[in-house]
Amino acid sequence: MRYLRAPGLAVLPLLLGLLFFATSLTPSLIPRDWLVQGVLGGVVMALGYGVGKAIGAVWWLMALPPLKGRIATIVHLVFAVPVAVVVVLCLMQTQDWQNGIRTRMGLAPVTDVHTLRMIAMTIVVFTLMMLLAYALRYLFDRVRHWLYRYMPQRTADVAGFVLTAFVLLIVTRDGVLDYVITALDRSYTLGQALFDDAPPPPTRALQSGSTASLVDWGAMGQPGRDYVLRGPDAADITAFSGRPALDPLRVYVGLAQSETPEARAAVALAELQRVGGFERSVLIIALPTGTGWLDPGSVDTVEYMHGGDIATVAVQYSYLQSPLALILETRAGLDQARELIRTVHGYWRSLPHETRPKLYIHGLSLGAWSSMYGTDLFALLDDPIDGAFWTGPPFPSATWQAITAERAPDSPYVAPIIGNGQLVRFASHTRDAGGPDGWGTSMRLMFLQYSSDPIVFYEPASLFRAPAWMSEPPASDVSPELRFMPIVTQFQLAMDMALANTAPPGHGHAYYGPDYIGPWVAVTDPPNWSAADTARLIAHCDTGFQNGCAAE
């Protein structure tokens, strides 16, 4: 029982933890309610305590004298008083800080941030984190004391630490947790593919999943089924434009269709050939989000502006939400994008230039990252695609990072200007896409990103360094009270990523249907399209963006 000594809370580390908690109350990119703030506050408070303990360990290793008696009391008071003042001031400002973000995003201000509930949640989470740390310390102590029988104490301490870390690795990313995530993913497969209220297969032969299709309707999952069954048809488009239209072609292959990315890409190509996708004027290779969802606000709008003379092909690669898929299934999306783009582009380039459709790449969120990875621009130089439109590109994307690094020195990090806008452009909720004129090359690359999107602007180095965008004047939907704090800012932005889709449309990671229209016009240059048509389509889609622009 000698390992079960109750851990006491050291005063100075606890004060540092309270300081971390206080700074976590400051605003970040996404509004937080009391429950989320309580969880965040408890986590960073525990981290602050841990940092304080680490500093104490360094003090001990340097053989410096410990603080005792009257000196310890004075030092504790010197630090405790200003920390208490900071905590109280931050608690008093919390409501104003959160309302500052909310009003900039068009949300109604809150009248109560439920401070007592939030503090209670912080204490609960802090306690759980401390118990977890105590359990890890107990495991470490057991291991190293067992090793004392076989090796010198210092060697046993190092070996015990290594073994404990190895056990944690097995239990987390590369072991039990990985197995659990895989099992959950497979379970969700059944939930998507075999849900009880599944609609009947499509009746039109040109729809994926029909009796004439090469795609298994039962393997498609709900996002794919919604994508195939919904959206504008020729009648909807004609009613909008007043001109004859075609039924847009939508090809979708579910993750459960085949075991490998190569096999799913092959099915997608065969289905695209079957329905006549290469006979349309426009062909879009679209990579969905982690769950397999394609934003109707994007797909519907481009189908309207091209009179339905368009085909879109997509393949699912995961069932997890994009933030989870980004961490746990990184390779799945990248591999599927590479195979789908390689397969479709390889066939497309074999067709006569004068008769083949214009080819574009598109993706939202994790689909944007995956499709950027799969779009090897250097490999395409001899027969390039016509363009690409990427929305909400996740921060790890090497292509997005490299392009952003080339921005004009006087352009904001969140809204870069690249050269003269002849090859690459960035659009947002406050910046127009520039229209179809002014491009200097046959290939057009477009990004749509919101300044408050943490999926785009999360920065791993914010653990110890302020992101570049925090050193610039805040954008219109970003709080001017946002401040950098080592470690705390990292976890604020991580929490923002988890909440990114809870922001109101047009902010965070909630991309607004009408905001797709300008970029699509600029990239695809639809024939006989005017500024008046753009305004009418924005009005048409404005009230129904969450379900796309199709008639109900």
Side-chain angles (χ1 to χ4, degrees), residues 83-273:
V83 168
V85 171
V86 170
V87 170
V88 172
L89 290 177
C90 288
L91 287 171
M92 294 173 61
Q93 288 292 319
T94 301
Q95 181 170 315
D96 289 340
W97 282 334
Q98 290 302 311
N99 282 337
I101 312 174
R102 294 178 64 87
T103 55
R104 284 172 173 80
M105 291 186 173
L107 294 172
V110 294
T111 58
D112 189 355
V113 291
H114 302 287
T115 301
L116 293 180
R117 296 182 189 178
M118 182 267 291
I119 293 175
M121 178 56 65
T122 297
I123 294 173
V124 169
V125 173
F126 174 75
T127 301
L128 292 175
M129 295 285 288
M130 295 305 298
L131 290 175
L132 176 60
Y134 180 49
L136 293 176
R137 176 59 188 267
Y138 172 73
L139 175 63
F140 169 61
D141 285 345
R142 290 298 302 266
V143 171
R144 68 191 179 98
H145 280 87
W146 178 75
L147 291 174
Y148 286 167
R149 307 174 189 174
Y150 309 104
M151 58 188 70
Q153 179 174 338
R154 185 176 297 274
T155 304
D157 288 344
V158 175
F161 177 81
V162 172
L163 287 174
T164 303
F166 181 71
V167 170
L168 287 176
L169 182 65
I170 293 176
V171 173
T172 55
R173 178 64 179 90
D174 295 320
V176 175
L177 182 59
D178 191 51
Y179 175 80
V180 170
I181 292 296
T182 302
L184 290 174
D185 200 9
R186 289 174 180 169
S187 299
Y188 195 40
T189 301
L190 299 179
Q192 277 202 340
L194 300 175
F195 52 91
D196 295 334
D197 57 346
T203 56
R204 290 187 294 170
L206 295 184
Q207 288 182 293
S208 293
S210 68
T211 55
S213 174
L214 303 175
V215 177
D216 182 358
W217 181 250
M220 193 177 291
Q222 185 175 1
R225 289 167 172 165
D226 290 343
Y227 169 71
V228 168
L229 293 176
R230 299 177 182 178
D233 58 18
D236 295 326
I237 298 172
T238 296
F240 168 78
S241 66
R243 296 187 292 267
L246 299 174
D247 288 323
L249 299 176
R250 294 185 172 189
V251 171
Y252 190 98
V253 176
L255 177 58
Q257 176 77 33
S258 302
E259 289 293 329
T260 65
E262 295 84 357
R264 291 189 291 270
V267 172
L269 175 61
E271 178 74 354
L272 197 58
Q273 292 168 323

Side-chain angles (χ1 to χ4, degrees), residues 251-336:
V251 171
Y252 190 98
V253 176
L255 177 58
Q257 176 77 33
S258 302
E259 289 293 329
T260 65
E262 295 84 357
R264 291 189 291 270
V267 172
L269 175 61
E271 178 74 354
L272 197 58
Q273 292 168 323
R274 183 190 73 83
V275 300
F278 291 97
E279 299 167 16
R280 294 297 173 98
S281 297
V282 174
L283 172 59
I284 297 174
I285 302 174
L287 270 295
T289 63
T291 60
W293 180 73
L294 286 158
D295 191 347
S298 174
V299 181
D300 290 6
T301 52
V302 72
E303 290 175 341
Y304 268 100
M305 64 182 63
H306 286 278
D309 189 11
I310 183 172
T312 306
V313 57
V315 175
Q316 188 177 24
Y317 52 85
S318 172
Y319 298 103
L320 300 177
Q321 293 288 339
S322 287
L324 287 176
L326 180 65
I327 298 170
L328 301 170
E329 292 187 326
T330 303
R331 293 300 316 176
L334 303 182
D335 292 343
Q336 186 61 76

Side-chain angles (χ1 to χ4, degrees), residues 313-366:
V313 57
V315 175
Q316 188 177 24
Y317 52 85
S318 172
Y319 298 103
L320 300 177
Q321 293 288 339
S322 287
L324 287 176
L326 180 65
I327 298 170
L328 301 170
E329 292 187 326
T330 303
R331 293 300 316 176
L334 303 182
D335 292 343
Q336 186 61 76
R338 184 188 62 241
E339 289 304 321
L340 179 61
I341 293 172
R342 181 188 62 80
T343 300
V344 174
H345 179 263
Y347 178 79
W348 172 84
R349 67 182 299 175
S350 70
L351 301 175
H353 284 243
E354 61 274 8
T355 59
R356 70 188 186 187
K358 290 184 176 181
L359 180 60
Y360 300 95
I361 310 295
H362 177 53
L364 164 65
S365 189
L366 192 56

